[in-house]
Amino acid sequence: MNRTAVAASAVVLLLPLSACGGDAEAGDGSTVTVTVGYQSKTINTVTAGTLLRSLGYFEKQLTSLGDGRTYKVDWQDYATGAPITAQMTAGKIDIGSMGDFPLLINAARGKQLNRPTHLVSVTGYNLRGGLNTIVTAPDSELTSLKDLKGKKVSTSIGSAADGTLVRALQRAGIDPNDGIEKLNQQPAVGASALAAGSTDALSQFVAWPGLLTYQGKAKALYDGAQLNLPTFHGVTAREDFAKDRPAVLEAFLRAQAEATDYLNTHPVTAAEKVAKATGLPAEVVYLYNGDHGISTFDPAVKPQLVSALKQDVSVLKAAKLTGDVDVDSFVDDQYVRKALGASYGKQLAATPPAAASEVWPKGAQETRTFKSPAQLLGYLAAHPDGFRAAYVPDATTGTLWFADKAVWVADGEQLLPFVAPATARAYAEGHDGARVIPYADALERAS
């Protein structure tokens, strides 16, 4: 994802627009280099980056073109979306992947510099916005968004995580420009600031909230899915590259579809491959990319996502990172439609799978699902040392979270998990006899 969209400097953006990337050929015209910009640790782009690269599907698709050329793929790994955009507008990257807010900046910069780009497919998405989370320190006394008034909050301005923060604060009656002290920081810097106590909260995108929570360095304060506004990651391509080499772009999109099928069919193995390539814990990768993970992977450019993209423009305009963005002209799914053929319509109409409770047993290459969080807790109580990770969906938003990090509510015989304390309290207050209980009590009740 990368949803970090700090505007690239004018110096970088105005690099000479010399022919590079996919336009670069050997003198005899027989070798074509295709340059792909990706973000290895933005794990909701893995079907167009980390996982795709490890599987070698793009290279195989290029070989199968049979057009007499030799293709070379230059994979370039970046920490954020901004440098990918800078390199694309300089003609040095042909295909890139990034989060929705950086995609809008990609569109704006491309138009500004007369090097237009287009959104050509989607990687991972969450229709409610669960890919972004606001977290606090483990020992923080903050329990709701209203507690953030007057506090320091770290985020990456112009990212979707910042968009979540802005919208969430507005709903809580807090002016995002005056009610808090916003620190514009890269995710890793913000994570360090949270650990050092120099910020009170951190609003970030996948995989940072899950990683910090898994490591015991943070706890959730706000689940972005409460906004009920889609967030996603996608693939962008230079317009000139797409027009000059449509077969190459379609080969990439077919390869992306293959990687998506692999992830959906082998979620545990895929998580381990991504973990090996990125250094992230496989348990954290699976939280987002697993069988019932926070993210759904599908290349189709769904109307709900395009609609959400249009709503995101106002946030970037308010931050003075872009002017108006013509989203309709930026979106171009003709290449992925051709690449996927008859299956595209089915994928366009497909809906995310229902959330479920899951456990990843030690030594297993498959997870186990349970009909209810209580049944999962019963399994955990009976096998206290027999699992790598356990996941439960928030009772109101469906956002998957680690079972031992969730906030639990006992409501009669039901044991209900929540990502954030405020939503757990809201449920308990609206149901007679329901109350928030510690995780240990929830385990004991289920055993």
Side-chain angles (χ1 to χ4, degrees):
M1 172 175 223
N2 172 38
R3 300 177 180 278
T4 305
V6 180
S9 70
V11 173
V12 174
L13 286 173
L14 295 176
L15 287 170
L17 301 182
S18 57
C20 288
D23 293 333
E25 297 190 20
D28 59 3
S30 63
T31 300
V32 178
T33 298
V34 184
T35 305
V36 179
Y38 74 109
Q39 302 159 74
S40 62
K41 292 189 177 180
T42 303
I43 57 174
N44 286 153
T45 64
V46 295
T47 53
T50 306
L51 181 63
L52 177 60
R53 181 179 184 179
S54 71
L55 294 170
Y57 288 165
F58 185 30
E59 288 82 355
K60 292 177 182 177
Q61 284 286 346
L62 290 172
T63 299
S64 70
L65 289 179
D67 58 6
R69 293 186 175 91
T70 299
Y71 289 94
K72 174 186 176 184
V73 181
D74 180 11
W75 296 91
Q76 297 186 3
D77 187 7
Y78 294 88
T80 70
I84 294 177
T85 289
Q87 293 293 83
M88 290 186 77
T89 54
K92 296 179 180 292
I93 286 179
D94 305 309
I95 303 169
S97 57
M98 58 192 71
D100 41 14
F101 277 64
L103 281 168
L104 287 171
I105 292 180
N106 183 272
R109 297 291 186 264
K111 183 176 181 180
Q112 174 190 357
L113 297 174
N114 198 30
R115 180 75 72 159
T117 59
H118 292 284
L119 172 65
V120 295
S121 71
V122 170
T123 56
Y125 69 90
N126 183 283
L127 290 179
R128 292 187 61 103
L131 299 175
N132 307 306
T133 312
I134 302 173
V135 298
T136 59
D139 58 352
S140 173
E141 295 182 359
L142 305 178
T143 61
S144 72
L145 285 175
K146 291 185 177 180
D147 295 335
L148 290 180
K149 190 170 184 179
K151 303 294 185 181
K152 294 180 180 179
V153 183
S154 173
T155 191
S156 302
I157 291 179
S159 72
D162 182 32
T164 291
L165 176 65
V166 168
R167 288 169 168 142
L169 290 174
Q170 289 172 337
R171 289 192 185 185
I174 299 174
D175 184 345
N177 298 313
D178 187 48
I180 65 167
E181 183 180 345
K182 187 186 292 188
L183 307 178
N184 181 22
Q185 298 175 324
Q186 293 290 322
V189 176
S192 297
L194 188 68
S198 55
T199 188
D200 299 290
L202 173 72
S203 181
Q204 277 301 344
F205 49 79
V206 54
W208 287 95
L211 174 63
L212 295 175
T213 299
Y214 176 77
Q215 294 174 332
K217 298 177 180 179
K219 63 181 179 181
L221 179 71
Y222 183 82
D223 173 8
Q226 291 176 245
L227 290 174
N228 199 24
L229 182 66
T231 55
F232 73 98
H233 305 75
V235 176
T236 177
R238 291 198 340 263
E239 183 180 282
D240 59 341
F241 169 77
K243 289 181 176 180
D244 291 343
R245 303 200 182 279
V248 174
L249 180 55
E250 289 160 22
F252 180 88
L253 295 171
R254 285 194 297 272
Q256 183 198 339
E258 286 186 292
T260 302
D261 290 342
Y262 182 93
L263 183 149
N264 290 331
T265 306
H266 309 284
V268 170
T269 304
E272 290 178 330
K273 281 181 175 291
V274 172
K276 182 178 180 180
T278 62
L280 291 168
E283 295 85 349
V284 173
V285 177
Y286 195 85
L287 172 72
Y288 293 98
N289 295 8
D291 198 21
H292 298 276
I294 300 174
S295 183
T296 299
F297 286 85
D298 182 350
V301 185
K302 297 180 182 294
Q304 306 99 303
L305 305 181
V306 176
S307 177
L309 201 61
K310 292 177 179 179
Q311 295 180 62
D312 294 340
V313 173
S314 62
V315 178
L316 290 175
K317 286 180 66 177
K320 294 182 171 50
L321 290 173
T322 68
D324 290 321
V325 178
D326 187 346
V327 172
D328 288 326
S329 66
F330 176 56
V331 175
D332 186 358
D333 68 350
Q334 64 169 306
Y335 300 98
V336 69
R337 281 181 179 274
K338 187 174 180 181
L340 301 189
S343 68
Y344 188 77
K346 294 180 180 179
Q347 295 191 41
L348 199 62
T351 56
S357 300
E358 273 186 279
V359 65
W360 186 348
K362 284 184 178 178
Q365 286 302 304
E366 293 183 353
T367 60
R368 289 187 56 179
T369 59
F370 298 83
K371 292 182 179 180
S372 71
Q375 288 184 356
L376 176 135
L377 288 178
Y379 176 92
L380 299 183
H383 305 82
D385 299 314
F387 62 95
R388 291 180 61 172
Y391 311 92
V392 288
D394 184 288
T396 55
T397 66
T399 301
L400 208 66
W401 209 238
F402 296 109
D404 62 331
K405 307 298 184 182
V407 183
W408 288 88
V409 170
D411 184 6
E413 296 297 316
Q414 294 188 94
L415 293 169
L416 304 173
F418 297 84
V419 172
T423 47
R425 286 198 311 272
Y427 179 93
E429 291 168 0
H431 296 77
D432 290 340
R435 62 190 181 91
V436 177
I437 61 172
Y439 171 65
D441 287 2
L443 271 180
E444 185 175 350
R445 284 169 177 258
S447 62

